């Protein structure tokens, strides 16, 4: 696809093709639920690339199932929570490139438009706290399904907030920063804003 990724075969990677064929058969049979693609990258080569039929993501449909399509390399796909891993990797790159000095810094070092929220000890929230989801701010992303009427805090960012960063930082405290894990996609939104401000690049 002229994307700079070198390709090879499963034999090149010393992978028994029988296991790949067995996995593909089981995926088509629905043994693992809905799998849309399987790619294996080994020894600096893409050695397996297989796509399967399935539903596009639709947050407002039963089981989140939208249109049924044949997935392929050009099919847009909702990445959901793996976004957190991508953002974390970008933070690491930003530190390596010198855009961010340290993950131990206060988040407010990189939030010039949100200094008014630097109150009630929020200045002690560090970049690392957001990366590890230990900011201590109240957040409930697991107790409700998604949808317009949902109590899910991640949904509320999209339906109720003009400024998502403010909506996340304006929460009450559940714990002292660094002491308690709470799954928090809102913190990832803030990290995206930190990356934008630190690097002058969009996430």
């Amino acid at each position: 696809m002229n994307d700079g990724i070198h390709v090879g075969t499963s034999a090149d990677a010393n992978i028994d093709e029988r296991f790949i064929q067995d996995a593909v058969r089981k995926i088509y049979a629905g043994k693992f639920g809905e799998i849309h693609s399987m790619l294996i990258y080994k020894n600096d080569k893409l050695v397996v690339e297989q796509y399967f039929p399935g539903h596009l993501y639709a947050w407002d449909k039963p089981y989140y199932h939208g249109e049924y399509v044949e997935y392929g390399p050009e099919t847009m796909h909702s990445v959901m929570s793996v976004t957190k891993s991508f953002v974390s990797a970008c933070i690491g790159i930003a530190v390596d490139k010198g855009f961010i000095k340290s993950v131990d810094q206060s988040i407010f070092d990189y939030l010039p438009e949100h200094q008014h929220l630097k109150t009630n000890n929020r200045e002690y929230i560090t970049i690392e706290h957001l990366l590890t989801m230990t900011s201590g701010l109240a957040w409930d992303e697991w107790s409700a399904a998604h949808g317009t009427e949902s109590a899910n805090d991640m949904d509320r960012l999209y339906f109720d907030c003009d400024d998502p960063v403010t909506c996340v930082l304006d929460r009450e405290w559940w714990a002292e920063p660094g002491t308690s894990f709470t799954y928090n996609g809102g913190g990832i939104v803030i990290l995206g804003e930190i990356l934008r401000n630190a690097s002058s690049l969009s996430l």
Side-chain angles (χ1 to χ4, degrees), residues 22-194:
D22 184 53
V24 168
R25 277 193 299 271
K26 288 177 178 176
I27 290 171
Y28 272 117
K31 182 171 177 60
F32 310 113
E34 209 170 278
I35 303 293
H36 299 152
S37 64
M38 177 173 64
L39 291 87
I40 299 176
Y41 188 81
K42 186 177 180 188
N43 299 337
D44 298 321
K45 289 183 179 179
L46 179 64
V47 297
V48 174
E49 182 173 13
Q50 180 73 42
Y51 297 91
F52 306 93
H55 294 89
L56 294 175
Y57 176 76
W59 64 267
D60 58 345
K61 302 291 184 187
Y63 306 106
Y64 311 116
H65 282 177
E67 180 185 357
Y68 194 76
V69 300
E70 187 71 39
Y71 275 91
E74 301 295 330
T75 310
M76 295 292 286
H77 197 287
S78 174
V79 293
M80 305 298 281
S81 288
V82 76
T83 302
K84 298 169 178 64
S85 298
F86 295 148
V87 172
S88 296
C90 288
I91 291 286
I93 293 168
V95 171
D96 182 60
K97 298 293 184 185
F99 293 125
I100 293 173
K101 293 177 185 176
S102 168
V103 295
D104 296 321
Q105 286 181 271
S106 167
I107 59 174
F108 289 98
D109 291 352
Y110 298 96
L111 296 173
E113 297 174 9
H114 295 86
Q115 294 297 302
H116 61 286
L117 296 167
K118 191 177 176 180
T119 60
N120 193 21
N121 295 319
R122 286 182 176 81
E123 65 270 25
Y124 296 112
I125 301 173
T126 66
I127 294 171
E128 182 175 1
H129 291 143
L130 296 184
L131 288 168
T132 58
M133 298 191 188
T134 59
S135 71
L137 294 173
W139 191 262
D140 183 6
E141 199 167 327
W142 276 350
S143 70
H146 296 287
T148 54
E149 303 302 321
S150 155
N152 187 306
D153 281 339
M154 199 67 205
D155 290 351
R156 301 279 52 89
L157 279 189
Y158 295 103
F159 297 120
D160 298 343
C161 295
D162 293 328
D163 177 7
V165 173
T166 294
C167 286
V168 176
L169 288 178
D170 207 20
R171 296 304 187 95
E172 298 297 321
W173 288 110
W174 270 358
E176 180 183 342
T179 64
S180 180
F181 173 86
T182 301
Y183 192 81
N184 188 334
I188 303 302
V189 172
I190 297 173
L191 288 172
E193 181 72 0
I194 287 170

